[in-house]
Amino acid sequence: MKLHTFRPRLLEALPGYSKRQFAADLGAGLTVGIVALPLALAFAIASGVKPEQGLFTAIIAGFLISALGGSSVQIGGPAGAFIVIVYGIVERYGLANLLIATSLAGVLLMLMGLLRLGALVRYIPVSIVIGFTNGIAVLIGLSQLKDLLGLRIDKLPADFFTQIGVLTQHLYTFNPWALLMGGACLALVVLWPKSYVMPTAPVTARDKARRLMSHLPGTIVALALATLATALLDLPLETIGSKFGGIPQALPAFALPDFSWEGAKHLFIPTLTIALLGAIESLLCARVADNLSTQPRHDPNQELMAQGVANFVVPFFGGIPATGTIARTVTNVRAGATSPVAGLVHALTILLVVLVAAPLAEHVPLAALAGILLFVAWNMGEWREFVRLRRFNLPYRTILLGTFFMTVVFDLTVAMEVGLVLACVFFIYRMSSLFSVEAVTVLTAPPGVRVFRLYGTLFFAAVAKIETLAEQLPSSTETVLLDAHLMVSMDSSGLDALEQLHRTLQRRHIQLLICNLNEQPRGLMQRGGFDLHIRPENLPASLEDGLALVGTVKSGLKPD
């Protein structure tokens, strides 16, 4: 098997890189960095870790993914899809084991890229992706009700029904100021202009103001106004400072997490979950970027390797899992990014803000971050797919809804497993229904000859149609001729079914001829030793040759 050659897209972009490109990437990187700042804070807090861990992840992972990745414009960092996963791992295994699982997932992602498995991730059915994405969005929204309502809960449990119970039990601690602040931030982000096309003429001051507003991220405006209001009015709200003590105004320190093989054995499922979700999210994001950008299409294997390096490194600086992020990548593309340099600028922008303005984060109200995350969760879900379900068949609806409910009620790993099993079962059923054995009438066929035509793929789920063929034959049958020119392929179970049919017919002294074999079934028969049991002349090249052989070969069985 040929291994993937490590070649980041950045190396391809730098030759011939112009000042004009740098100016475009600089503007895009600054824009995305500002957008990413409140999201990194919100994702970390919602994941049950310190806010600076989200910032450090955005800086380090964002830089590494852009520098080493296979996409020209993808932006990496902490993602909303990981909130539920990270929160559950921290709740069940602790922060130290989260860091270990993230590093191990990074190794797994690197191996996936090295072994060129990037294309396989695309084979996951879209119904599964939509199901778990919508499920995660619901869980993110539920997890934000605590801060949105200002409830006095030390720590929410990870289980869905337990969360609802705890939230209900603490409704008496409701803080109306928190709901007012969170609702105002949510409304501001929703109503803030995302883009504005200037009219041809005349251009008014209002038009210019709206265009200027559209260049400012609504999340930053909401966060800044909420922080200012909380600090000046001394509102009774829980803030980053009151809960976490603020954010350190320094670079993250390198530290090795406590590692033991005994503990790592229990982290197999968390590691696999982080790796699979990271691979799916990053490659889906890269495909979205390809559709929006004029840059060359991404290299999925290189992208997986970059994701692996980033996730392996960030835990040593206290970071959390990272992947490609659709919202920030789309912002990067629309801001005019031309190369991975924009992603590097985005990471350096966040670093500069941390070094210069970290003390200001002390007054950021958690209710404001909850409002922003509710907007992220709403945009993350593909809710229209629920309305469109009636247009699709039962397997699609079952897989999507099954994955959705499994994600909400249990966890993403169970949802992926159940979704893939359902997808495989329905696919096997569908493929088996496409295989058929049909009796055909051939006017030139001698008496006692029954001709059957095989359609589709003869595999383990379709062998019953061959196994019951002998029972359908009248007593006057002397020869069975199978026309296989429409049988495109066959597996070993199909070959075994043909051998069993041959033995059954031979006991009844009925001749078996198989004509018009395609290359794959004929090759499998030769490798499986079918030609050791049946004479070569019983495998004629055409239907006409088979009819000409009727009666000339009394037994298909070779003499011992």
Side-chain angles (χ1 to χ4, degrees):
M1 181 179 180
K2 185 179 179 181
L3 300 179
H4 173 70
T5 302
F6 190 86
R7 184 171 178 80
R9 184 59 56 86
L10 182 63
L11 296 180
E12 301 175 7
L14 290 180
Y17 190 70
S18 64
K19 292 182 179 178
R20 183 177 180 180
Q21 285 180 284
F22 178 72
D25 288 337
L26 180 63
L30 290 172
T31 302
V32 180
I34 295 173
V35 171
L37 188 66
L39 297 180
L41 288 170
F43 290 160
I45 294 173
S47 300
V49 298
K50 295 181 179 179
E52 61 264 26
Q53 291 181 265
L55 294 174
F56 295 159
T57 302
I59 295 168
I60 300 171
F63 190 92
L64 290 174
I65 289 172
S66 294
L68 306 177
S71 172
S72 299
V73 293
Q74 176 154 273
I75 300 296
F82 274 121
I83 290 176
V84 179
I85 304 303
V86 172
Y87 191 91
I89 294 175
V90 172
E91 178 79 8
R92 186 175 304 174
Y93 300 97
L95 179 60
N97 284 323
L98 168 67
L99 302 181
I100 294 173
T102 304
S103 280
L104 293 176
V107 175
L108 190 56
L109 283 166
M110 283 189 282
L111 289 175
M112 290 171 65
L114 183 65
L115 298 175
R116 307 173 72 91
L117 300 180
L120 295 181
V121 178
R122 299 177 180 176
Y123 296 158
I124 296 178
V126 67
S127 53
I128 294 179
V129 175
I130 294 173
F132 80 68
T133 301
N134 287 5
I136 289 173
V138 169
L139 292 174
I140 292 174
L142 179 65
S143 68
Q144 295 313 298
L145 293 181
K146 166 184 170 291
D147 291 328
L148 183 70
L149 301 177
L151 304 182
R152 297 175 185 174
I153 302 174
D154 293 333
K155 194 173 184 63
L156 271 178
D159 179 69
F160 173 73
F161 293 109
T162 309
Q163 275 190 10
I164 295 177
V166 171
L167 289 171
T168 304
Q169 292 170 7
H170 289 79
L171 281 177
Y172 69 93
T173 64
F174 166 65
N175 182 352
W177 287 104
L179 179 60
L180 181 63
M181 177 63 72
C185 289
L186 175 60
L188 180 61
V189 175
V190 171
L191 299 176
W192 192 262
K194 310 298 185 295
S195 62
Y196 185 70
V197 179
M198 294 287 282
T200 53
V203 177
T204 64
R206 183 179 179 181
D207 293 328
K208 293 180 180 179
R210 285 183 61 84
R211 185 175 185 181
L212 177 62
M213 290 170 62
S214 68
H215 288 297
L216 292 173
T219 52
I220 283 291
V221 176
L223 198 65
L225 292 177
T227 303
L228 190 63
T230 303
L232 294 180
L233 302 177
D234 194 24
L235 298 178
L237 295 172
E238 190 174 29
T239 64
I240 289 180
S242 64
K243 184 169 184 178
F244 301 101
I247 296 175
Q249 194 174 6
L251 292 171
F254 179 87
L256 291 173
D258 295 331
F259 178 82
S260 68
W261 283 112
E262 188 63 30
K265 294 177 182 177
H266 302 290
L267 298 176
F268 173 75
I269 295 299
T271 298
L272 188 62
T273 303
I274 293 172
L276 285 178
L277 183 57
I280 294 169
E281 284 289 311
S282 63
L283 296 185
L284 284 177
C285 178
R287 291 176 66 182
V288 171
D290 289 341
N291 295 332
L292 296 175
S293 174
T294 58
Q295 304 303 317
R297 296 189 66 82
H298 75 284
D299 180 347
N301 298 306
Q302 183 62 41
E303 190 60 37
L304 286 182
M305 295 194 76
Q307 300 287 339
V309 172
N311 281 284
F312 177 76
V313 171
V314 289
F316 297 115
F317 298 91
I320 57 178
T323 185
T325 56
I326 294 179
R328 277 159 275 176
T329 298
V330 171
T331 302
N332 190 40
V333 173
R334 291 177 176 170
T338 65
S339 75
V341 173
L344 304 181
V345 174
H346 133 268
L348 295 176
T349 299
I350 301 174
L351 174 61
L352 182 62
V353 172
V354 169
L355 295 178
V356 174
L360 298 178
E362 181 178 349
H363 300 289
V364 173
L366 299 185
L369 294 177
I372 292 173
L373 276 181
L374 285 176
F375 177 74
V376 171
W378 177 258
N379 278 347
M380 180 180 179
E382 298 185 43
W383 312 111
R384 293 180 182 176
E385 292 298 320
F386 288 135
V387 179
R388 298 174 62 233
L389 277 178
R390 63 180 181 273
R391 304 179 186 176
F392 296 96
N393 56 24
L394 178 62
Y396 181 91
R397 295 197 296 266
T398 303
I399 294 171
L400 192 153
L401 293 176
T403 306
F404 171 76
F405 287 115
M406 286 291 175
T407 301
V408 172
V409 176
F410 295 99
D411 58 49
L412 180 63
T413 306
V414 175
M416 289 287 291
E417 292 171 352
V418 172
L420 287 173
V421 169
L422 287 175
C424 291
V425 169
F426 282 125
F427 176 77
I428 292 170
Y429 174 77
R430 175 60 177 161
M431 291 299 296
S432 66
S433 66
L434 294 177
F435 178 79
S436 62
V437 181
E438 296 184 4
V440 295
T441 301
V442 180
L443 297 178
T444 57
V449 176
R450 297 291 180 268
V451 181
F452 296 89
R453 187 161 290 153
L454 308 183
Y455 296 86
T457 299
L458 178 55
F459 70 116
F460 63 90
V463 295
K465 297 177 182 179
I466 292 293
E467 292 171 345
T468 59
L469 182 61
E471 302 171 4
Q472 306 171 18
L473 300 175
S475 58
S476 60
T477 303
E478 297 179 359
T479 301
V480 171
L481 199 158
L482 301 181
D483 184 2
H485 80 282
L486 294 178
M487 186 177 73
V488 294
S489 63
M490 178 174 63
D491 69 355
S492 57
S493 296
L495 177 61
D496 181 69
L498 288 178
E499 291 178 345
Q500 294 294 336
L501 174 64
H502 176 258
R503 294 190 185 97
T504 302
L505 295 179
Q506 210 281 330
R507 286 195 297 268
R508 295 173 55 179
H509 306 289
I510 298 175
Q511 180 183 3
L512 174 64
L513 302 177
I514 307 176
C515 66
N516 276 329
L517 279 167
N518 288 305
E519 182 178 354
Q520 191 274 337
R522 183 179 291 275
L524 180 61
M525 285 182 174
Q526 292 173 349
R527 295 192 303 273
F530 191 61
D531 57 344
L532 299 177
H533 306 289
I534 192 169
R535 295 177 183 272
E537 53 265 33
N538 284 60
L539 302 175
S542 66
L543 180 62
E544 292 75 15
D545 292 344
L547 293 174
L549 285 172
V550 171
T552 62
V553 182
K554 293 301 181 184
S555 173
L557 209 63
K558 282 188 175 182
D560 294 331

